Amino acid sequence: MPTECSAERFDFGVVEGRAVEAAFDAGLVTSDAGALLLGATDRAIDLVDRFADCFRDHRRQDLIEHAVGTLIGQRVFGIALGYEDLNDHDELRHDPLMAVLAGKLTARREDCAPVAGKSTLNRLELGQSEPSRYHKIAYDAAAIEALPVTLFLEAHKRPPKQIILDLDATDDPLHGHQEGRFFHGYYDCYCYLPLYVFCGRHLLAAKLRPSDIDASAGSIAEVERIVRQIRVRWPFVRTEAGDRILYEDIYCARGEMENRIKECQLDLYADRTSAATMRANQLRLWFASMAYALLCALRRIGLADTVFADATCGTIRLKLLKIGALVRLSVRRVKIAMASACPAAEQWGHAARRLTDAARARAAPV
């Protein structure tokens, strides 16, 4: 127990004759230094820029502080780091690591931080397919839905002989009066009933739906859309979806898709659908889906041949992203001094090197 507390200093007794004191006076310190791997992963697969291209910015560019790409990246990186609520960003906007990930160390205006706060991000999430007076950023839903499939195709150097698409519906419990809220007898709660489509660990679709429908509703249309996009790139690959034999003999024996859904909803907060409209909640689900795709690429590219090759998104965050560091800014560099005692330092360095190589290979002319 502390023997003395004040606004400036906290005393925690004496160890071997030396007083133990603590204070929030270290200056620029971050607890998310490992997130540099997220930035490296993004450069390797070009996720954030392409996701941002799915949005149309109708704001006056001479009056804005935060570009759409900065907002998109901030939201995706934040979810990957475990910050599921927009309220978190009122403090995160001052975090030096978020500024580094945004590629923007200083704000143009004195009353702004390098990255956005909750109000600006909230306006982004409340956007719609067409701009309005108060929501100037619109999005293209079809383009967003196509991006996870594109990332899946690019993750393969050559077309596989066969792929199996796993489809499953799950409950997303609701605790407010959101649009599309219905009581589901099987799950015994008010909820949404999102449809997920995976191929192995790759997320291909995350469709938010009300729960007053059959679990298979809309699945044929989603499979048709995904297969059509896959066929353009891989015209001869054999595609299977869950019919009875695949379900009973393969899917039930593996149960792997349940683990993938748990990663999305428990580790990456895909069930944080507390906005009033289904449109806004679908956008939140897409943000969580992109965070999953980013961590999936980090695992696949950077962590292959390490003890984290099969780790969950939550484990990757805890072991490799949540690293304390002192940040020093100078005219020539940003020095991020991470904790020397980090247990996963060797694996972190391995991932950093592999991701850097992948980013260089992507940037090299064909």
Side-chain angles (χ1 to χ4, degrees), residues 151-207:
L151 293 170
F152 162 69
L153 293 168
E154 292 176 352
H156 295 76
K157 294 182 178 179
R158 59 184 64 87
K161 293 182 179 180
Q162 173 180 295
I163 60 174
I164 297 176
L165 305 183
D166 286 332
L167 292 78
D168 201 2
T170 189
D171 64 315
D172 176 0
L174 301 175
H175 306 286
H177 295 276
Q178 292 93 322
E179 178 186 15
R181 168 184 180 267
F182 290 97
F183 186 85
H184 197 288
Y186 178 79
Y187 294 111
D188 195 28
C189 67
Y190 286 92
C191 62
Y192 288 138
L193 195 68
L195 174 68
Y196 286 93
V197 183
F198 284 86
C199 183
R201 274 185 159 162
H202 294 273
L203 175 61
L204 305 184
K207 189 79 170 181

Side-chain angles (χ1 to χ4, degrees), residues 18 25 43 109 118 123 165 194 228 278 280 324:
R18 302 182 185 184
D25 59 357
R43 289 189 291 275
R109 299 201 302 261
K118 63 182 180 182
R123 287 192 290 273
L165 305 183
R228 186 166 56 248
M278 284 198 71

Side-chain angles (χ1 to χ4, degrees), residues 119-169:
S119 298
T120 304
L121 291 171
N122 184 57
R123 287 192 290 273
L124 170 69
E125 288 198 347
L126 295 179
Q128 47 197 353
S129 57
E130 294 297 329
S132 64
R133 179 178 180 181
Y134 298 108
H135 303 289
K136 299 291 187 179
I137 301 175
Y139 62 85
D140 183 340
I144 296 175
E145 289 178 334
L147 182 54
V149 182
T150 299
L151 293 170
F152 162 69
L153 293 168
E154 292 176 352
H156 295 76
K157 294 182 178 179
R158 59 184 64 87
K161 293 182 179 180
Q162 173 180 295
I163 60 174
I164 297 176
L165 305 183
D166 286 332
L167 292 78
D168 201 2

Side-chain angles (χ1 to χ4, degrees), residues 101-115:
L101 292 176
K104 181 185 176 189
L105 298 179
T106 58
R108 187 173 60 184
R109 299 201 302 261
E110 292 184 0
D111 59 338
C112 288
V115 292

Side-chain angles (χ1 to χ4, degrees), residues 13 16 101-102 130 154 160-161 193 233 238 240 294 306 317 338:
E16 293 185 351
L101 292 176
E130 294 297 329
E154 292 176 352
K161 293 182 179 180
L193 195 68
R233 183 82 168 260
R238 183 183 176 191
E240 300 280 359
L294 190 67
T306 74
R317 174 194 298 143
M338 292 184 284

